[in-house]
Amino acid sequence: MRWKSLLIAVLVALLSISSCTESVETLPTEQKKHLEVILRSQEGDYWKTVKLGAEVAAKEFDVTLDFRAPGDEADVKGQIALMEQSIASLPDAIVLAANDYKELSPIVDEAGKAHIPVITVDSEVETNNVRSFIGADNYAAGQLAGRQLIKLMGTSGQIAIMSFRKGERNTELREKGLLDEISKFPEVQVIDKVYSLTDRELSAKLTHDVIDKHPELDGIVALNEISSIGVASAVQSRNLNEKVKIITFDSTSEELELLQEGVIQATIIQNPFSIGYLGVKSAVDAIEGKTVPKRVETGLKAIDLSNMFWSDNQKLLFPFIK
């Protein structure tokens, strides 16, 4: 009987402890800050690298991200609709790579009215409701492309420009920088300028058309990633690798392969990993009330066969490889 009484006492004590343990209230954990990241497109190595940089920053600064992007960089209305969705979700901040300098202004102003900080990356927006811009100097990028072309082609010759879309600010700035640079050489003639939007096949077709109309063509500058591949494929198919010098933008795996094959002579690269990383970092600083610089330039580099294997350049070309 004595051992039974002892057992009952022990059981009562254990139940009492268990009951006390269950009644202890756990303190709520602080909810992470949430950012919306709206890019120009879902496609392309460039935007995948921007996204990678943003994800690394999100992990470092302990915030959550939702990514949104239209399927096509030319889809301005689609991106505006995505901005509306983001604002409705009331995030702590928005990181935006705008598809149009003017068209995105009203919706960014709406974010300002909702007291949501907006950081723009890669491309600017015509509004004062942006806390900071992170990206390359596109006018300087055009100048750099012009210098590379002159170095390869010489101070005389006929060139064509494969542009993106009329009114698209980044491309217009690149175009202006390019034209200002080559205007220093009166014997360099711009004999054609065409717009390929984000259509690789259209870019190739337009390149064939330019070559047919101007068989003495000496060089082509393609001002964005998609048009770069289209131009290179057309020139390669015509066996004009040695004659027509090609300057491109960005550093997709296809472009780098064509660079090694001698189809592309040089490509102007930005720093998309840093653009994504600094976009998120600046958004976090804005959320925390810190002063963020109005403009952060992330640099440019001309890559050709002579320097593409330098260790510093490899880090820019392949930021996802440790």
Side-chain angles (χ1 to χ4, degrees), residues 162 196 198-208 226-227 229-231 233-234:
M162 182 67 67
S196 63
T198 54
D199 190 326
R200 183 185 301 193
E201 291 183 4
L202 176 59
S203 174
K205 180 186 180 303
L206 291 171
T207 303
H208 283 295
I226 301 298
S227 62
I229 301 299
V231 166
S233 64

Side-chain angles (χ1 to χ4, degrees), residues 9 45 48 53 94 99 161-162 195 202 226 239 295 300:
D45 291 355
K48 290 175 184 176
I94 294 174
N99 278 353
I161 299 171
M162 182 67 67
Y195 297 88
L202 176 59
I226 301 298
N239 295 315
R295 188 178 187 87
L300 296 159

Side-chain angles (χ1 to χ4, degrees), residues 249-268:
F249 270 77
D250 298 325
S251 56
T252 66
S253 57
E254 287 176 274
E255 284 176 280
L256 296 179
E257 186 176 335
L258 290 164
L259 186 64
Q260 291 185 72
E261 293 174 359
V263 180
I264 292 171
Q265 279 66 49
T267 188
I268 310 304

Side-chain angles (χ1 to χ4, degrees), residues 288-306:
E288 294 176 351
K290 297 177 183 177
T291 301
V292 293
K294 287 297 290 182
R295 188 178 187 87
V296 178
E297 291 188 5
T298 49
L300 296 159
K301 205 152 198 179
I303 299 293
D304 57 27
L305 200 54
S306 70

